[in-house]
């Protein structure tokens, strides 16, 4: 065990810090769930990519820097501490990309990854369906082989960022009679194909952050298949592991929120101190954000020595989603009657972002597989308890 | 940056684990408590010494191995997991640390460190943060606080009164003794920082044991839930029961690296080691309390009985959680850190 950074790691941190100081937009970008905000965030992805900062762990020839996971954590720490924007392409960069690296052909990697890094293709996720949320084995949308194409019919829903995204990755049933997790195939497709209809769904904040996607005889070339036909489940499970685990929710983001929460508490000490439960919650928020970072460093170290991500990805998902809720509920308590103000309310000042975060935190225990499903996974795969 | 243990440390942990599974099974622990006055077994202690545990942090110059907190932490976890009723940690980790810090001129150091390393001496420590002295009667030497001075007192010069604890393996004594120039081995100037530092060393040992205890209670709950049938099926197949155990697993998973970071901070003399230790105490305590709560629930009425092994580990956890500083104490240390002006908080300060 050596919990200290090397000189090389320190130098990289200094480089990222300096670059962020020069490039992070001075004012927060508008929400990427608006058309203008989406465009502004795409521009930020391009800016990042100009310094190969869009996806630092990718190989250099695909647009990355070939860095290891510890360096990625350092990058993320500087990224969030600098107040840099949310990544509009997180579905692509943090979910699809690791999956492509593992299961994609060289052609597919070269075709998709550099454009993803550059912000030219922003990706949405096409897994959930009206009858298949956490139970993805209930997927019914079909992709039927017709020569060198698949013909897709069906419907996806809760597809985050799909309103303005360029591409979709999703699971489709390629064997019409197949059941559950058999006969599913992982397909990549552009969202502007004929036969695709996208209907925005307003989220709690009133913005179209989700979409329903309808497929009516949409033709997709077979070369857009990721992995083998019928291997979709296996591949999708690997992606889900990335989603619950390391990449999507880097600890730095929660540490930054915890830091802001401590600041908020200090600034409102007189009113907040009247309720010892608030002080306790602030303390716990800070400790848990630290704990999440430490656990991630430990996992990164283990992976560096050849270890694999296992069921602990499910413990991660529960931990960060509950931490996010705790932090934002605590902030709401500290803000009292001001907590209800929307970010653009003229009297909100700089507190409105807490409400945005509070709303977003409500979704944490639901997306990426509900926390109830994660608890089942932990009980059955990590602890070995019998299935029902 | 490397947050993993090396092969040697893992092999040592595995060896201790195998040893304890065989030599310290729950029925044996019950036997020790019920048949001995001190609650301690000379035979078990001598076997622990044979494993090298009593010599672990004694410097090589005094016949030991000279290792640090990071080498201890997984061992302490195993001692917690197996509920070892022994003052090993107090003697071989805490007393050794305290004696080691004394000036070289202190004769006592040369006299006791080699004996401890060989497993021939037990030392009990009276610290003002604890109301009573653990294991005073089984000790060959008492190291006691008096106005920040350090005193070494032979048990024969003290009057002891035992105070039964909810945990039968805890032997807590009120100690009456008279400080004198002969017993004093460290002045207040020497003692003050050492008594303070001892809280951190002990805090790590307690955290690691709590973590081991949490893990044991989780395992006991899982085993019971997998075997016990109700309504024609194992209760562990029911989602409500599964979720109890999953919640404990999450707590343990995220307390462990906090405890390991505290160990590293002690070894490296990190400026924030006190904060890291208090964090470890709170995280491990929370995991252990939740494990106790959930495991007794899963055990049903069985968990409320003397005969289920769960009770031994549950009671140990409840007792340890408030020793060497209770929750208020450790929360206050973290408060002082995060609420200080210009506190290094946020993503750039995980390790620096």
């Amino acid at each position: 065990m050596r919990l200290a950074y090397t000189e090389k790691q320190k130098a990289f941190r200094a480089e990222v810090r300096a670059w962020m100081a020069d490039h992070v937009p001075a004012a927060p970008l508008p929400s990427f769930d608006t058309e203008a905000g989406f465009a502004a965030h795409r521009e930020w992805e391009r800016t990042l990519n100009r310094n190969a900062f869009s996806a630092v762990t990718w190989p250099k020839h695909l647009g990355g820097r070939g860095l290891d996971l510890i360096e990625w954590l350092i990058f993320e720490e500087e990224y969030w501490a600098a107040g840099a924007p949310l990544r509009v392409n997180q579905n692509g960069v943090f979910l699809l990309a690791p999956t492509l690296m593992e299961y994609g052909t060289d052609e597919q990697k070269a075709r998709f990854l550099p454009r993803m890094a550059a912000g030219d293709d922003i990706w949405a996720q096409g897994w959930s369906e009206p009858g298949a949320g956490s139970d993805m084995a209930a997927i019914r949308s079909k992709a039927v082989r017709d020569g060198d194409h698949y013909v897709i019919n069906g419907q996806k829903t809760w597809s985050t960022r799909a309103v303005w995204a360029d591409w979709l990755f999703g699971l489709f049933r390629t064997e019409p009679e197949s059941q559950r997790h058999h006969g599913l195939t992982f397909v990549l497709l552009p969202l502007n194909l004929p036969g695709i209809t996208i209907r925005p769904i307003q989220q709690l904040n009133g913005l179209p952050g989700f979409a329903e996607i309808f497929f009516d005889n949409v033709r997709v070339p077979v070369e857009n298949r990721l992995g083998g036909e019928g291997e979709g489940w296996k591949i999708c499970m690997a992606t889900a592991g990335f989603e619950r685990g390391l990449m999507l929710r880097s600890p730095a983001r929660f540490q930054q929120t915890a830091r802001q929460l401590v600041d908020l508490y200090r600034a409102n000490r007189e009113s907040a101190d009247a309720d010892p439960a608030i002080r306790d919650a602030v303390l716990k928020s800070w400790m848990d954000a630290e704990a999440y970072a430490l656990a991630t460093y430990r996992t990164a170290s283990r992976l560096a020595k050849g270890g694999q991500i296992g069921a602990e990805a499910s413990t991660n998902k529960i931990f960060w989603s509950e931490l996010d809720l705790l932090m934002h509920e605590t902030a709401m308590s500290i803000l009292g009657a001001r907590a209800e103000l929307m970010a653009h309310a003229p009297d909100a000042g700089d507190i409105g972002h807490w409400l945005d975060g509070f709303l977003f935190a409500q979704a944490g225990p639901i997306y990426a597989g509900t926390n109830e499903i994660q608890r089942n996974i932990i009980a059955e795969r990590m602890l070995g308890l019998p299935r029902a | 940056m490397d947050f993993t243990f090396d092969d040697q440390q893992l092999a040592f942990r595995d060896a201790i684990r195998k040893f304890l599974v065989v030599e310290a099974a729950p029925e044996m622990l019950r036997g020790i408590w019920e048949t001995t006055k001190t609650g301690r077994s000379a035979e078990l202690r001598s076997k622990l010494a044979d494993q090298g545990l009593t010599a672990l942090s004694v410097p090589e110059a005094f016949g030991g191995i000279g290792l640090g907190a990071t080498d201890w932490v997984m061992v302490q976890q195993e001692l917690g997991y197996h509920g070892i009723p022994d003052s090993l940690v107090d003697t071989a980790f805490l007393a050794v640390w305290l004696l080691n810090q004394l000036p070289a001129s202190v004769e006592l150091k040369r006299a006791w460190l080699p004996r401890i390393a060989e497993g021939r001496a037990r030392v009990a420590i009276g610290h003002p943060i604890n109301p009573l002295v653990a294991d005073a009667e089984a000790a060959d030497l008492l190291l006691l606080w008096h106005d920040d001075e350090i005193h070494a007192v032979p048990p024969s010069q003290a009057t002891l009164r035992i105070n039964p604890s909810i945990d039968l393996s805890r032997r807590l004594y009120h100690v009456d003794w008279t400080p004198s120039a002969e017993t004093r081995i460290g002045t207040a100037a020497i003692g003050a920082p050492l008594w303070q530092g001892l809280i951190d060393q002990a805090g790590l040992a307690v955290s690691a044991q709590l973590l081991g205890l949490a893990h044991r209670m989780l395992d006991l709950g899982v085993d019971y839930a997998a075997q016990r049938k109700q309504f024609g099926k194992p209760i562990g197949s029911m989602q409500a029961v599964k979720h109890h155990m999953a919640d404990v697993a999450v707590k343990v998973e995220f307390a462990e690296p906090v405890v390991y970071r505290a160990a590293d901070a002690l070894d490296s003399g990190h400026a924030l080691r006190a904060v890291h230790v208090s964090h470890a105490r709170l995280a491990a305590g929370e995991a252990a309390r939740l494990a106790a709560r959930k495991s007794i629930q899963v055990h049903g009425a069985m968990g409320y009985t003397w005969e289920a092994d769960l009770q031994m580990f549950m009671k140990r956890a409840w007792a340890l959680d408030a020793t060497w500083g209770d929750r208020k104490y450790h929360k206050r240390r973290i408060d002082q850190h995060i609420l200080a002006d210009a506190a290094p908080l946020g993503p750039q300060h995980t390790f620096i």
Side-chain angles (χ1 to χ4, degrees):
Chain A
M1 193 180 296
R2 190 179 176 279
L3 302 187
Y5 297 103
T6 62
E7 290 308 314
K8 184 167 165 262
Q9 288 164 343
K10 287 180 193 165
F12 175 62
R13 181 186 292 282
E15 181 197 340
V16 179
R17 187 173 297 188
W19 189 90
M20 291 293 162
D22 287 345
H23 292 84
V24 170
L29 303 183
S31 166
F32 48 38
D33 292 330
T34 62
E35 191 164 11
F38 196 89
H41 279 81
R42 189 194 289 273
E43 200 44 49
W44 168 247
E45 301 279 331
R46 292 195 164 120
T47 305
L48 276 175
N49 185 57
R50 278 197 280 279
N51 202 37
F53 271 168
S54 189
V56 294
T57 57
W58 296 6
K60 287 182 181 161
H61 71 277
L62 295 174
R65 285 180 166 235
L67 301 184
D68 64 24
L69 283 174
I70 299 288
E71 290 160 321
W72 171 72
L73 284 166
I74 292 169
F75 175 83
E76 289 283 307
E77 286 166 356
E78 294 301 324
Y79 187 93
W80 291 101
L86 289 164
R87 300 290 300 272
V88 69
N89 209 6
Q90 59 189 7
N91 277 326
V93 173
F94 300 130
L95 294 186
L96 176 60
T99 318
L100 262 169
M101 296 283 183
E102 200 167 333
Y103 296 98
T105 63
D106 286 343
E107 288 79 358
Q108 286 175 326
K109 291 179 202 172
R111 182 177 158 204
F112 294 117
L113 290 171
R115 287 183 57 82
M116 189 191 293
D120 293 337
D121 294 335
I122 311 276
W123 287 76
Q125 180 177 321
W127 285 349
S128 293
E129 297 187 3
S134 288
D135 180 13
M136 281 201 291
I139 281 170
R140 292 200 317 225
S141 289
K142 288 185 175 56
V144 177
R145 187 76 176 255
D146 176 22
D148 54 2
H149 280 73
Y150 288 109
V151 179
I152 297 182
N153 281 284
Q155 179 190 353
K156 295 287 177 184
T157 192
W158 316 132
S159 197
T160 306
R161 307 286 97 76
V163 179
W164 291 288
D166 308 291
W167 279 74
L168 183 88
F169 59 94
L171 272 191
F172 297 90
R173 205 164 278 287
T174 39
E175 292 170 42
E177 301 309 313
S178 62
Q179 295 290 319
R180 303 296 298 158
H181 55 277
H182 301 287
L184 293 168
T185 297
F186 203 118
V187 180
L188 314 171
L189 57 99
L191 282 167
N192 60 2
L193 289 177
I196 291 182
T197 308
I198 296 175
R199 190 182 76 83
I201 301 175
Q202 288 184 326
Q203 295 183 337
L204 285 180
N205 61 8
L207 296 175
F210 291 146
E212 283 180 297
I213 306 171
F214 300 90
F215 302 88
D216 179 15
N217 287 318
V218 176
R219 295 181 67 82
V220 179
V222 168
E223 71 226 35
N224 282 21
R225 185 183 70 209
L226 181 54
E229 191 168 289
E231 287 180 7
W233 182 259
K234 178 182 81 180
I235 298 169
C236 150
M237 283 299 106
T239 310
F242 296 123
E243 181 173 20
R244 291 163 197 155
L246 280 186
M247 302 304 279
L248 182 61
R249 291 290 170 258
S250 75
R253 173 175 173 168
F254 299 103
Q255 288 175 295
Q256 178 68 4
T257 307
R259 186 213 164 106
Q260 289 169 344
L261 182 64
V262 172
D263 290 343
L264 183 72
Y265 173 72
R266 282 163 56 102
N268 295 274
R269 189 94 179 252
E270 273 177 30
S271 55
D273 261 352
D275 182 352
I278 290 182
R279 192 188 182 96
D280 248 31
V282 171
L283 203 70
K284 183 162 171 49
S285 295
W286 180 79
M287 289 193 294
D288 282 0
E290 282 276 292
Y292 182 49
L294 296 173
T296 308
Y297 268 96
R298 180 164 78 146
T299 305
S301 298
R302 203 168 52 71
L303 296 178
K305 289 191 169 174
Q308 298 240 309
I309 294 246
E312 75 272 17
S314 293
T315 64
N316 265 6
K317 204 263 152 159
I318 292 172
F319 195 80
W320 62 247
S321 59
E322 293 189 347
L323 165 62
D324 209 29
L325 271 178
L326 171 70
M327 291 194 290
H328 287 93
E329 282 167 355
T330 306
M332 297 286 106
S333 300
I334 295 173
L335 290 171
R338 289 176 296 158
E340 69 174 288
L341 295 183
M342 297 287 279
H344 56 269
D347 290 329
D350 59 356
I351 60 169
H353 72 95
W354 285 109
L355 180 60
D356 284 341
F358 175 74
L359 291 176
F360 185 60
Q362 304 304 312
I366 300 168
Y367 66 82
T370 63
N371 285 13
E372 287 75 14
I373 292 293
Q374 304 314 315
R375 287 187 169 89
N376 289 354
I377 293 172
I378 292 166
E380 288 164 15
R381 297 191 209 152
M382 207 170 139
L383 305 178
L385 282 169
R387 288 177 163 272
Chain B
M1 181 62 65
D2 177 14
F3 209 147
T4 61
F5 291 95
D6 64 33
D7 291 344
Q8 210 177 339
Q9 288 167 324
L10 292 170
F12 187 55
R13 190 267 317 267
D14 291 346
I16 298 300
R17 180 178 289 175
K18 280 187 192 129
F19 166 82
L20 294 175
V21 166
V22 177
E23 301 289 345
E27 50 274 26
M28 187 217 169
L29 306 186
R30 283 173 189 268
I32 294 174
W33 301 346
E34 287 164 13
T35 59
T36 69
K37 183 168 171 247
T38 58
R40 304 293 175 248
S41 154
E43 195 192 345
L44 176 61
R45 168 56 71 93
S46 122
K47 285 179 180 171
L48 290 169
D50 288 345
Q51 296 293 313
L53 292 181
T54 50
L56 204 59
S57 46
V58 173
E60 289 176 81
F62 295 105
I65 311 174
L67 299 177
T70 312
D71 295 290
W72 263 105
V73 71
M74 284 191 300
V75 174
Q76 289 158 341
Q77 230 175 318
E78 292 302 316
L79 295 173
Y81 187 90
H82 292 92
I84 297 308
D86 196 278
S87 53
L88 176 73
V89 167
D90 289 4
T91 298
F93 186 62
L94 299 184
V96 165
W97 182 85
L98 190 60
L99 290 168
N100 250 334
Q101 304 291 317
L102 293 172
S105 58
V106 176
E107 196 58 38
L108 198 82
K109 218 168 147 168
R110 279 198 289 280
W112 286 89
L113 284 175
R115 291 179 60 193
I116 292 173
E118 288 164 21
R120 289 192 292 119
R122 291 174 191 270
V123 184
I125 300 173
H127 192 291
I129 203 168
N130 296 323
L132 297 165
V133 181
D135 276 298
E137 188 170 4
D140 303 291
L141 177 71
L142 303 171
L143 292 176
L144 302 172
W145 179 94
H146 174 74
D147 287 344
D148 279 349
E149 295 170 350
I150 306 169
H151 290 257
V153 180
S156 58
Q157 290 177 24
T159 310
L160 307 179
R161 184 174 70 238
I162 188 160
N163 288 263
S165 157
I166 175 66
D167 175 0
L168 268 188
S169 77
R170 301 258 299 164
R171 302 289 159 138
L172 301 172
Y173 293 87
H174 174 87
V175 177
D176 261 335
W177 62 291
T178 311
S180 69
E182 282 86 69
T183 59
R184 189 175 63 223
I185 58 168
T187 61
I190 289 173
L194 297 188
W195 290 116
Q196 190 58 37
L198 200 58
I199 293 174
D200 295 330
Q201 300 291 322
L204 176 76
V206 170
S207 307
Q209 289 176 77
L210 284 169
L211 204 52
L213 285 160
H215 223 127
R216 181 58 170 271
M217 292 185 277
L218 173 62
D219 285 356
L220 288 171
V222 166
D223 288 350
Y224 189 82
Q227 285 159 22
R228 168 75 173 162
K229 286 190 177 162
Q230 290 277 269
F231 308 105
K233 56 185 179 185
I235 60 170
S237 67
M238 297 174 193
Q239 184 159 268
V241 174
K242 280 190 172 127
H243 287 193
H244 282 322
M245 293 292 98
D247 284 340
V248 177
V250 172
K251 279 279 184 284
V252 172
E253 184 82 14
F254 286 90
E256 201 168 62
V258 178
V259 175
Y260 294 164
R261 194 251 304 252
D264 180 79
L266 289 179
D267 278 341
S268 68
H270 197 284
L272 292 178
R273 61 191 177 279
V275 175
H276 292 344
V277 166
S278 284
H279 187 183
R281 283 296 309 262
L282 293 167
E286 192 186 340
R289 289 194 309 279
L290 187 77
R293 180 74 198 84
K294 297 291 189 179
S295 201
I296 193 173
Q297 182 69 22
V298 164
H299 274 75
M302 272 308 293
Y304 202 73
T305 66
W306 195 261
E307 60 195 88
D309 287 341
L310 175 64
Q311 61 132 336
M312 298 194 282
F313 303 98
M314 209 159 58
K315 290 169 179 173
R316 179 78 47 87
W318 292 335
L320 281 185
D321 189 36
T323 190
W324 290 102
D326 60 12
R327 269 178 264 164
K328 289 190 296 293
Y329 176 87
H330 292 291
K331 278 183 186 175
R332 199 175 310 122
R333 295 211 302 182
I334 293 181
D335 255 2
Q336 282 166 359
H337 169 60
I338 66 173
L339 299 179
D341 289 331
L345 305 179
Q348 295 164 328
H349 300 285
T350 313
F351 291 108
I352 46 179

